[in-house]
Amino acid sequence: MEIGYKLAAEAFGPQELVRQAVRAEAAGFDFVEMSDHFHPWLDVQGHSPFAWTVLGAIAVRTERVGLATGVTCPTVRYHPAVIAQAAATLALLCGDRFVLGVGAGERLNEHVVGPGFPESAQERHERLREALEIIRLLWQGGYRSYQGAHLRLEDARIFDLPDRPPLIAVAAGGPEAARLAAELGDGLFATEDRPSLVEHYRAGGGSGPRYAEVPVAWAADEQTAAEAARESSRWALTGWKVMSELPNPVNFEAATTTVRTDDVRQAFTCGSDPERYAGAVQRHLDAGFDRIVLQNAGPDPDGFLDFYARELDQPLRRLRPAGATG
C-alpha cells in the first residue's frame, strides 16, 4: 500500500499548493495527487490554478514524493498530444515520479473551450480510448499520425521523452471504464470503495496499482470538521451523474442547497479520531485498492498534516486487506 495526499486545487492558490506538497513529503506521504480543473466546484472554494504549472513547481521543490493528476481529461479542453507532451516533460523534471491519471471529464471544466461536452457517456469513453491510443503512440517516439472517429493526430513527435513513460491510471465509475483501464491503462483510479470496480478491472486483465480517494475532514472536533466540509465540499455528495453534467459552480451551488452537516458526516470521516480514519482506509483496502489518497476537506491543512505524521502514518501502514497474510 502507498498513501497519498490530495492537493485541493479548487480550494488553494498555486503557491499554497506547492507549500502543502512539500509539507506532505516531510509528513511521510508517498505521493501527492492534484485535480486538473478549469473551474472550482463551488465559488466559495475560490481557486483553480493551472495544474501542470503547479506540478512542475512541485517536481523541482521535492525529492522523494510521487506526483499524480487526479484526473486529467485529455479529450476536449486538451488534445491528447498536449497531455502526452506535458506528462513526458513532467516525468523528466521529477525523475520518474509521475503518474498520469486520466478520465472522461466533467462538463464543468470541458465546455469552456466552445465545441461542447459530449452528451453521451459512450462517446466520452470512445474519446478517452482514442486519447489513450494517441498518448501511447506518441510515447513510442518518432513522427506519428492517427485518424479516429473523434480525434486526429497529424505528423507529430515528442522530442523530450523519459526512458520509461509514466504510468497511466484510468478513472472508472463503472464496468466499461474499468475494462478500459485494464486494456489501455497501467492502473485504476476511483472515488468510491466499490469492490466491483476492482473486480471488473481484474477481469479485464488489469494488474496494476489501484488508486482510491478517501474523503476526510480533519479538525480537533467533529462538528467543526463537518461544517467546514459542508461549506467547501458538499458538491461531492451529488454523485457522478450530476458531477459530470453541471456546467458551472453556480449550478453546483443550486444542486447542493439541501445538503446538511449530518449528510456530510455520513460521507466524510470527520474529526480527529485515528481509529475512524483507519476504518475508512480499511474499507478501501478491503475493496481491493492499494493506493489510498486522503482527501482532506477540513479547515486546517497544516493541522491535518501534523495529525497524519503524528498519529496516522504508521498505524495506517500496518493495515492489511481482509484475508491478507504476512
Side-chain angles (χ1 to χ4, degrees):
M1 175 180 64
E2 293 184 7
I3 305 173
Y5 175 75
K6 180 65 179 275
L7 294 167
E10 302 80 30
F12 301 102
Q15 297 95 331
E16 173 61 14
L17 292 169
V18 175
R19 189 192 71 82
Q20 287 185 28
V22 172
R23 280 223 58 201
E25 181 177 59
F29 282 97
D30 298 303
F31 63 96
V32 294
E33 175 221 309
M34 181 177 174
S35 53
D36 185 354
H37 278 205
F38 194 87
H39 290 147
W41 297 100
L42 298 169
D43 281 330
V44 70
Q45 292 179 297
H47 295 278
S48 196
F50 187 55
W52 294 91
T53 302
V54 178
L55 288 168
I58 293 170
V60 299
R61 288 283 307 278
T62 56
E63 298 178 356
R64 173 194 58 80
V65 73
L67 287 71
T69 49
V71 294
T72 289
C73 175
T75 65
V76 182
R77 178 169 46 113
Y78 302 123
H79 188 279
V82 174
I83 295 305
Q85 183 187 34
T89 298
L90 187 56
L92 288 169
L93 283 173
C94 69
D96 197 32
R97 290 184 282 142
F98 177 61
V99 173
L100 174 62
V102 298
E106 305 98 13
R107 193 178 303 276
L108 174 72
N109 304 299
E110 307 307 318
H111 81 279
V112 299
V113 294
F117 188 59
E119 294 293 336
S120 71
Q122 179 179 346
E123 181 181 338
R124 297 170 199 170
H125 287 127
E126 290 172 359
R127 284 175 170 268
L128 183 57
R129 170 180 290 277
E130 292 183 8
L132 289 169
E133 291 174 348
I134 288 171
I135 291 169
R136 295 287 193 196
L137 190 64
L138 285 168
W139 284 353
Q140 293 175 20
Y143 287 94
R144 301 290 178 173
S145 297
Y146 179 95
Q147 178 68 58
H150 306 284
L151 300 171
R152 298 173 60 186
L153 182 73
E154 183 177 344
D155 205 23
R157 176 185 174 186
I158 297 176
F159 280 79
D160 291 290
L161 287 170
D163 293 336
R164 184 172 63 180
L167 295 180
I168 299 177
V170 180
E176 182 180 350
R179 289 190 290 266
L180 180 62
E183 179 185 353
L184 291 177
D186 303 300
L188 177 71
F189 186 99
T191 58
E192 300 174 273
D193 59 348
R194 283 194 284 145
S196 61
L197 293 175
V198 176
E199 292 165 3
H200 286 296
Y201 173 67
R202 286 174 168 160
S207 59
R210 301 165 304 279
Y211 291 80
E213 293 182 344
V214 181
V216 303
W218 184 88
D221 66 279
E222 181 180 344
Q223 183 67 16
T224 299
E227 289 176 355
R230 191 199 67 80
E231 176 72 9
S232 67
S233 301
R234 60 188 181 275
W235 52 269
L237 278 68
T238 60
W240 275 110
K241 288 188 177 180
V242 174
M243 291 167 64
S244 65
E245 295 297 342
L246 299 183
N248 286 301
V250 65
N251 303 111
F252 280 94
E253 181 72 37
T256 57
T257 55
T258 61
V259 174
R260 304 166 303 168
T261 303
D262 285 345
D263 299 324
V264 171
R265 282 197 184 94
Q266 295 179 23
F268 287 75
T269 298
C270 298
S272 57
D273 181 352
E275 292 188 5
R276 295 185 61 193
Y277 284 77
V281 170
Q282 185 68 60
R283 289 192 296 273
H284 287 77
L285 291 177
D286 292 345
F289 296 96
D290 62 357
R291 299 294 188 273
I292 305 300
V293 186
L294 299 182
Q295 183 175 4
N296 176 43
D300 179 6
D302 286 303
F304 172 70
L305 289 166
D306 290 340
F307 170 70
Y308 175 82
R310 184 180 64 249
E311 300 191 49
L312 286 184
D313 183 71
Q314 292 307 308
L316 293 186
R317 294 185 187 280
R318 290 193 288 268
L319 298 177
R320 296 292 183 271
T325 59

